[in-house]
Amino acid sequence: MNRSHSNSWEEGFGQEGGLYRRLRDACAADWQAYTWHPFVQGIAQGTLPLPAFRRYLIQDYLFLIHFARAKALAVFKAESIEAMRDKTAAIAAILSETLMHLKYCEGWGIPEAEVRATPESAETVSYTRYVIDRGLAGDILDLEVALAPCTVGYGEVALRILADPRRKVEGNAYQSWIDTYADPGYQAMARAAAARIDALGESHGGHARFALLSATFAEAARLEARFWQQGLDAAAGRTAGYEKIHTG
């Protein structure tokens, strides 16, 4: 997909003509549906129903556990010792984040016992297992492409929120969430993840494999949108039910 211009929130991620931007542009409609989902707009404008956010927070903790497992798989799939070191550090960071996430949940009135006792939702199961499946079936590039919509996408989501003229700045209950992903440290990590997709695209034949990689990236983006949607469904009293799987 050719574009005459890019939005400011897109320009910081990946190189022009690189694999990351090609993947994102190839699923433009799915990417838009994910990164500017009504759930995200509700966070920006401070109108998101609290039950939607609570459902999201609990499931996001369960997601993080599998995200760490996917990073562990990336250690095994890594193309170099340097990459293995980077992924090992990422695992430690995610596991530390799970502890911080539990404290964050407590700040929203969700005790640790409730978080840990909640089963994974169908949306959490489908997304996390899809990512791991792509890593098991393919190489490091397949896995990194499946992970990128989460890591890079949240960086873009934060920038889109900051650019929203309707954003509620004063008294937005969700400002701490926005600050987390707008933070320069997170933004740098997201940019590095996009740059890694570009680099792996060159070293691992990404352009020749574009059709398969594009399908993976697009499906991960759609699964991200469904992950947001489960919060809105819960707030509206519509749930797909929980898988009988307990984690952590």
Side-chain angles (χ1 to χ4, degrees), residues 73-107:
L73 179 58
V75 174
F76 179 78
K77 296 278 185 173
E79 75 283 6
S80 67
I81 188 68
E82 291 79 15
M84 292 174 72
R85 292 191 186 106
D86 288 344
K87 299 306 174 186
T88 300
I91 296 168
I94 294 168
L95 293 177
S96 294
E97 185 182 348
T98 62
L99 297 176
M100 292 185 290
H101 193 91
L102 288 171
K103 292 185 180 300
Y104 188 68
C105 287
E106 288 179 355

Side-chain angles (χ1 to χ4, degrees), residues 14-23 79 139-142 144-145 193-210 213:
Q15 295 297 314
E16 187 67 36
L19 180 58
Y20 174 76
R21 291 197 189 184
R22 288 188 64 205
L23 291 169
E79 75 283 6
D139 63 7
I140 186 63
L141 177 56
D142 293 291
E144 296 279 7
V145 164
R196 178 159 169 78
I197 294 294
D198 287 346
L200 286 172
E202 294 297 324
S203 63
H204 285 62
H207 297 288
R209 298 160 54 189
F210 185 76
L213 295 172

Side-chain angles (χ1 to χ4, degrees), residues 2 5 23 60 72 78 84 89 93 130 151 153 158 166 173 189 206 210 220 240-241:
N2 294 322
H5 68 279
L23 291 169
D60 198 40
M84 292 174 72
Y130 178 75
T151 305
R166 297 174 297 171
M189 182 178 68
F210 185 76

Side-chain angles (χ1 to χ4, degrees), residues 163-181:
D164 180 17
R166 297 174 297 171
R167 178 169 71 95
K168 182 177 182 180
V169 178
E170 298 296 328
N172 188 335
Y174 303 111
Q175 189 60 48
S176 61
W177 188 94
I178 298 169
D179 290 343
T180 296
Y181 298 103

Side-chain angles (χ1 to χ4, degrees), residues 2-48:
N2 294 322
R3 298 186 180 188
S4 59
H5 68 279
S6 295
N7 294 303
S8 60
W9 54 78
E10 297 173 328
E11 294 171 349
F13 305 109
Q15 295 297 314
E16 187 67 36
L19 180 58
Y20 174 76
R21 291 197 189 184
R22 288 188 64 205
L23 291 169
R24 187 190 64 201
D25 292 351
C27 67
D30 289 325
W31 194 252
Q32 170 72 10
Y34 157 41
T35 58
W36 204 232
H37 191 277
F39 185 100
V40 175
Q41 296 179 46
I43 287 178
Q45 296 155 27
T47 58
L48 183 71

